[in-house]
Amino acid sequence: MSVVFVTGGAGYIGSHMCKLLARAGHQPVALDNLSTGRAEAVRFGPLEQLDLTDADALRAAFARHRPEVVLHFAAFSQVGEAMVEPGKYWRNNVLGALTLIEAMLEADCKRMVFSSTCAVYGEHDGVTLDEDTAQAPLNAYGASKRAIEDMLRDFGASHDLRAVVFRYFNVAGADPETEIGEAHDPETHLIPVMLQAVAGMRHELMIHGTDYDTPDGTCIRDYVHVMDLVRAHLLGLEWLAAGRESRVFNLGTGQGFSVGEVIERAAAVTGAPVPVRFGPRRAGDATRLVSGSRRADAELGWRPEATLEDMIRDAWAWHKRLHGNSAPDKID
Ligand code: UDP
C-alpha cells in the first residue's frame, strides 16, 4: 500500500480515482480547496482542505502524509469560462501546478500523474489526434494545461521529476455503484446538462453551434467513461513505479460522436426525448476532437471498455440518485 496524493480529490474525476485507489489497496489523500469539489465526495481517505497556491499548507501536508506519488487533477476546466476569464485559468491552473511541483521536490517526491487534455491540440479538422500532433490550444484551459506539460518537462530535466501525462478526451459517466458522480455547479458539460433537460430541471439543452463542418453540423467529441479513465491512472502509477521515463498518453476511445448523436443515444437510454434549442457556436470549441492514438493500449495495456450508452446510463442513474425523480424548479 502506498500513500497517494490526489489533488482535486473532491471533484468529479478525482473522487472516482480515490475510490479505485482505495479498492486497489492504496491510501488516497484528497487535496482540495472545495472551490468546485464537494466534501461529501471524499469517502475513501482523508481530505486536506488547502489551496495549491498555498506553499506553506502544501509543505505541511507533505510532511504529514509523506506521499510516494501525486495524481494532479485539480484545475478549472470549462472552455466557455476560460474564454471570458482567462486569468482565472492561468493563475489557478499554472500557479497551482508550479507551487505543487516545488513542494513535491522539497519533500523529495518525484513522481506525478498529470491530467492534461485534448484541448491542447486545438483545431485539426478531420485529423485524428496522436501525441505528436502539433499543439495549438484555442482557449486558456488548453493553454494552461500545455504550459504545465512544458513545466513538467523542464523540471524533469533539472530535477529528475518523472511524469505520466494523460491527455483526456471527453470524460463522462459515473461510478456504476452510484456512490459518486459528476456534480458541477453550475453544470456545463454536455451529458449532465442533457440529463437535466430530460429530467425537466432545465427548459432545454442548448446545442452550441449547428454549422460546423461535420455530417450533422454539430461538434464531434470522443467520450470516455470515468471508470475506464481512472483505471488508466493505476497503469500510470505502475509505469512510474517501474522506473520508466516520462511519457504522454492520449486517453480516448478513438470513436467520435456528434452532439446530435449523443442526444439520440440519451433519448434511447432514458426513454424520453431531449428538449433542445439551437444556439450559436460556443467560443473556444474545436470542431472535432477524437483520439487517433493506440499508444496507451500498446504501452500501458489500457483498453477502454464502456460504450457511450454505458456512460449515459451510469450518468442517468447518478443523476436520479442526486436529484431524485422529481422535476424541481428550473435552473435556466
Ligand atoms: N455542448 C452543447 N451544449 C451544452 C454543453 C456542451 O452543445 O450545453 C457541446 C459543446 O459545444 C461541445 C460538446 O458539447 O461540442 C462537449 O462539450 P463539453 O462542455 O461537455 O466538453 P468540452 O468538449 O468543452 O471539454
Side-chain angles (χ1 to χ4, degrees):
M1 167 171 130
S2 61
V3 177
V4 179
F5 269 8
V6 182
T7 77
Y12 168 43
I13 304 172
S15 60
H16 288 79
M17 186 76 245
C18 289
K19 178 165 183 169
L20 188 62
L21 284 165
R23 187 171 282 173
H26 297 288
Q27 165 71 75
V29 178
L31 273 58
D32 206 298
N33 64 6
L34 301 184
S35 67
T36 57
R38 300 154 65 241
E40 58 272 31
V42 183
R43 296 166 172 233
F44 313 101
L47 168 66
E48 285 281 353
Q49 189 177 344
L50 56 80
D51 196 287
L52 293 184
T53 58
D54 183 343
D56 290 337
L58 274 176
R59 202 172 287 127
F62 274 94
R64 227 179 343 266
H65 300 283
R66 307 207 156 279
E68 281 179 28
V69 58
V70 174
L71 300 179
H72 181 34
F73 295 89
F76 291 135
S77 62
Q78 292 173 21
V79 168
E81 182 185 62
M83 293 305 288
V84 290
E85 290 188 77
K88 190 169 164 180
Y89 282 71
W90 283 101
R91 186 173 302 103
N92 179 72
N93 294 0
V94 178
L95 197 56
L98 177 59
T99 315
L100 173 65
I101 289 169
E102 289 181 333
M104 286 173 67
L105 295 176
E106 231 180 275
D108 205 29
C109 174
K110 293 191 167 184
R111 282 182 265 156
M112 179 188 275
V113 179
F114 172 58
S115 307
S116 188
T117 170
C118 62
V120 299
Y121 296 118
E123 192 72 87
H124 292 270
D125 252 4
V127 178
T128 45
L129 307 166
D130 68 31
E131 292 82 356
D132 298 321
T133 302
Q135 296 181 33
L138 299 178
N139 52 64
Y141 167 55
S144 68
K145 292 286 187 172
R146 180 180 63 173
I148 298 165
E149 289 192 15
D150 290 348
M151 197 186 288
L152 288 168
R153 187 202 55 218
D154 291 346
F155 280 96
S158 63
H159 290 79
D160 287 333
L161 179 69
R162 285 184 303 120
V164 165
V165 171
F166 285 131
R167 294 186 183 143
Y168 302 165
F169 285 69
N170 284 60
V171 189
D175 167 27
E177 292 161 4
T178 65
E179 202 177 355
I180 45 177
E182 188 166 11
H184 298 114
D185 187 19
E187 189 55 75
T188 65
H189 290 115
L190 179 63
I191 290 175
V193 167
M194 186 179 293
L195 296 178
Q196 287 177 349
V198 169
M201 289 174 65
R202 294 176 179 266
H203 289 102
E204 72 260 308
L205 166 78
M206 161 91 87
I207 299 179
H208 295 316
T210 53
D211 60 345
Y212 285 94
D213 185 15
T214 61
D216 69 6
T218 64
C219 289
I220 294 177
R221 295 288 181 273
D222 177 343
Y223 294 87
V224 56
H225 196 293
V226 65
M227 295 310 298
D228 278 331
L229 183 99
V230 295
R231 198 161 41 76
H233 292 63
L234 289 187
L235 300 170
L237 290 181
E238 287 172 20
W239 175 278
L240 291 171
R244 307 191 71 170
E245 76 280 13
S246 294
R247 194 80 168 134
V248 177
F249 298 96
N250 278 356
L251 294 183
T253 65
Q255 220 190 329
F257 294 93
S258 70
V259 173
E261 288 171 325
V262 179
I263 291 170
E264 275 170 27
R265 306 287 164 109
V269 169
T270 62
V274 182
V276 298
R277 183 153 58 97
F278 301 110
R281 290 184 179 201
R282 186 176 67 177
D285 271 345
T287 305
R288 184 173 189 274
L289 291 169
V290 179
S291 178
S293 170
R294 298 196 41 79
R295 185 186 286 182
D297 181 356
E299 299 185 17
L300 290 175
W302 180 72
R303 267 160 237 115
E305 288 165 5
T307 63
L308 181 59
E309 279 79 4
D310 295 331
M311 296 176 221
I312 297 169
R313 189 199 57 234
D314 291 342
W316 184 229
W318 163 250
H319 172 97
K320 289 192 276 194
R321 171 86 189 262
L322 193 63
H323 300 290
N325 284 311
S326 58
D329 293 343
K330 299 268 192 295
I331 53 178
D332 66 346

